[in-house]
Amino acid sequence: MKYLTLLFPVLLLLSSCHPHIQETETISERGPDSIYAAYLILSRSLPDSLSKIGPYIIPAKDSAITHEMVRDSPYLAIGKLIDATHTFAISCVNFGYDSSVLKIYREDNDQWNMVGRYHIPEAVEFIKYINADGDSNTNEIILSGTGNVNGNREYYVYIYDPHRAILSYAGHFFTGDGDFDSGAGGYKIDPSDNAIKVHYQGVSSAESKFLYTWRDDSLVLLREVMLRGDAETVWLEYKSNKDTSFSAGLTTIFSEKDYETSLHHKKYWDGFFDLK
């Protein structure tokens, strides 16, 4: 009994140094307890029944937690997701295989204000917070669909305007998850050129490259090159957007039989992303 009397104050002291926080099992990643607790409290005041969802905590912009799975819907993240100043709450809920809803809230003076709500015409598998437009002050949001049998999927891009406090839809592109730099398809964000480079590999008879650039808050498709055909004959087709201020559509510049040794193949296929 004497030892129990001595042990009780020690346990009390330890518990005060490391306070127990409820719902820790619902969090995939945790920052310091104080940040975690503050965001958890904020999340409980979210509208639309989001307060019932245990959030992912992302304490700082450009933290290591930038690519998360949404398939196990509903998804909710809270933290410095878009800029280093404001706290955001981002939710994504899938409704079957052909519908999902993205909602974005910003916290101002202990109040949550919706800054964007979008319907996506398919289920979302991943969400990514990344600087995609060369502006280091804010992250963009990239959602990816569940993909097809060839491993390709739609990517939806959303951009935040800090002056109007609005999240806008910027555009989309279609490709796979391959390693872009190795030539295995996929996409690459190039902040130095303010561009997104896309390499699409579909069925064996079709392969394309696309170059998108930013114009204000929208992605504009500047040009496309395609290889298509069969084992005997392959065609090289090059298209360009003559009005680079917005996506006015592509004009076919040429379509011809392709030879890997031809000047057009080397310039417009091999050197596509270096064209000026």
Side-chain angles (χ1 to χ4, degrees), residues 56-221:
Y56 292 85
I57 303 297
I58 304 180
K61 177 179 173 286
D62 301 328
S63 67
I65 314 168
T66 59
H67 198 173
E68 298 177 350
M69 181 171 284
V70 183
R71 181 183 290 172
D72 297 330
S73 173
Y75 164 91
L76 174 67
I78 184 171
K80 299 294 191 292
L81 302 165
I82 295 177
D83 64 29
T85 304
H86 299 93
T87 298
F88 290 87
I90 296 177
S91 75
C92 190
V93 179
N94 292 327
F95 300 95
Y97 295 100
D98 57 0
S99 180
S100 55
V101 173
L102 172 71
K103 294 180 182 179
I104 307 93
Y105 296 87
R106 194 181 84 172
E107 189 267 333
D108 296 291
N109 300 319
D110 297 325
Q111 295 291 324
W112 289 107
N113 299 302
M114 182 178 283
V115 297
R117 184 184 188 280
Y118 292 94
H119 172 259
I120 298 94
E122 63 175 308
V124 171
E125 185 166 7
F126 292 103
I127 185 167
K128 193 169 189 177
Y129 312 104
I130 188 171
N131 173 235
D133 67 349
D135 176 6
S136 60
N137 294 324
T138 58
N139 285 335
E140 278 64 58
I141 297 174
I142 299 180
L143 303 180
S144 61
T146 52
N148 60 19
V149 293
N150 296 317
N152 293 300
R153 64 184 74 232
E154 203 80 54
Y155 291 83
Y156 305 87
V157 185
Y158 301 85
I159 187 170
Y160 178 71
D161 183 340
H163 303 293
R164 297 185 298 159
I166 294 175
L167 189 91
S168 302
Y169 171 71
H172 67 278
F173 53 88
F174 189 74
T175 187
D177 297 324
D179 182 354
F180 179 92
D181 290 327
S182 69
Y187 71 95
K188 181 177 182 178
I189 293 170
D190 189 346
S192 63
D193 284 342
N194 204 31
I196 297 180
K197 302 174 180 179
V198 177
H199 184 184
Y200 164 78
Q201 293 180 324
V203 295
S204 58
S205 60
E207 187 174 357
S208 301
K209 296 179 181 179
F210 305 86
L211 181 67
Y212 294 84
T213 192
W214 287 95
R215 293 290 184 265
D216 297 324
D217 291 343
S218 297
L219 280 172
V220 173
L221 177 57

Side-chain angles (χ1 to χ4, degrees), residues 11 16 21 46 74 84 90 93 115 132 141 175 185 230 247 251 261 276:
L11 292 174
S16 65
I21 300 173
L46 280 164
I90 296 177
V93 179
V115 297
I141 297 174
T175 187
D230 52 37
S247 294
T251 299
T261 57
K276 301 298 181 184

